[in-house]
Amino acid sequence: METRKLASDELMLRRRRSRRTALVMGMVAVAIYVGFILSGVLAH
């Protein structure tokens, strides 16, 4: 029974970490996208 609880806790921790990684990567992608748009707008 203890092994299942440990596995469940580990799974929740992995999900939390992967969600945080996905959010960070998404923010980086949006920042790059906005940067390209702003560089194109401000260059002219």
Side-chain angles (χ1 to χ4, degrees), residues 2-31:
E2 184 64 32
T3 307
R4 278 195 186 162
K5 183 175 182 343
L6 185 63
S8 176
D9 290 345
E10 185 178 340
L11 183 61
M12 284 177 48
L13 186 62
R14 284 184 184 183
R15 284 181 180 167
R16 189 177 307 137
R17 286 179 179 168
S18 63
R19 187 178 302 140
R20 182 174 36 193
T21 301
L23 284 173
V24 169
M25 295 293 280
M27 286 199 263
V28 168
V30 168

